[in-house]
Amino acid sequence: MTTGTPPPSRPATPRRSRVRTFLPLGIAAWLVLEIWLLTVVAGAAGGFTVFLLLLAGIVLGAVVIKRAGRRAFRNLSETLQQQQSGAVPAGEQRSGGNGLVMLAGLLLMIPGLVSDALGLLLLVPPVRTVLSRYTERTIERKMQSATPGTLGDAFQQARMHRPDGTVIQGEVIKDDERPAQRPDAGPRPPIAP
């Protein structure tokens, strides 16, 4: 069924960002470096030593992630209890830095010596502090330069007509005649799938 409207034209594809362009190349280079380093260490120290290093990284990473998760849950429950009792204002947040510790554990669990070195580096508190401050400043700068209301407006538009968020698929047909002027203007059936 055609409605007389022209088919939508395809917009020109936007340029890929530099991150999307170079990320696969960076991941491939990192994997090649990891494999090369593992073979060099295996040639110098033996395959069993490399296996024990990788196994130790996995175990240490799991322990680090487990402890950071427990600490994050404990901090969350303490903060909620203090907010309910009124000891801490609702706007005040206590930063525990568990995200970078979990990232360190994840890097330790990934097989490879470079990722293990980065994970161990993230476990050093001064490095975590510097990286956390840098990340926070970068995010604040990006948030200030972002156009206000883009994401919220998108959600508002999606729920503008239906408060429950239901989206009805269909097409709009504009009739030039008014229903009272049409001879067959009877009740219209409801739109339902």
Side-chain angles (χ1 to χ4, degrees):
M1 175 172 124
T2 60
T3 59
T5 60
S9 62
R10 290 186 168 218
T13 56
R15 286 188 52 196
R16 293 177 72 167
S17 67
R18 289 183 186 212
V19 173
R20 286 187 61 195
T21 303
F22 293 115
L23 185 66
L25 181 63
I27 290 174
W30 173 66
L31 287 174
V32 168
L33 177 67
E34 289 279 14
I35 292 170
W36 176 77
L37 193 58
L38 284 174
T39 58
V40 167
V41 171
F48 188 68
T49 305
V50 170
F51 174 73
L52 288 178
L53 281 173
L54 294 177
L55 187 64
I58 290 172
V59 170
L60 180 63
V63 168
V64 166
I65 287 177
K66 185 176 180 180
R67 288 188 65 200
R70 283 184 178 170
R71 190 178 319 124
F73 185 74
R74 185 176 57 242
N75 289 345
L76 176 67
S77 62
E78 287 174 2
T79 303
L80 289 176
Q81 287 175 357
Q82 289 174 354
Q83 284 180 356
Q84 287 176 351
S85 66
V88 177
E92 183 180 324
Q93 295 179 356
R94 192 172 78 182
S95 175
N98 291 317
L100 289 176
V101 176
M102 287 187 180
L103 179 63
L106 179 66
L107 286 172
L108 285 169
M109 290 181 76
I110 294 174
L113 299 177
V114 175
S115 62
D116 287 350
L118 289 175
L120 289 173
L121 191 64
L122 277 178
L123 288 177
V124 177
V127 173
R128 258 194 336 257
T129 304
V130 168
L131 188 62
S132 153
R133 287 181 184 159
Y134 172 75
T135 305
E136 186 176 342
R137 281 193 306 254
T138 303
I139 290 174
E140 284 178 3
R141 214 172 340 163
K142 294 283 186 182
M143 292 297 286
Q144 288 174 355
S145 67
T147 57
T150 54
L151 187 61
D153 288 344
F155 283 120
Q156 182 63 31
Q157 288 176 0
R159 291 185 266 150
M160 191 174 293
H161 297 293
R162 298 289 299 235
D164 61 349
T166 305
V167 177
I168 299 174
Q169 297 290 333
E171 57 185 36
V172 177
I173 301 172
K174 182 179 176 183
D175 286 336
D176 291 334
E177 298 179 275
R178 299 200 181 263
Q181 296 173 351
R182 288 183 17 200
D184 59 341
R188 296 184 71 173
I191 298 175

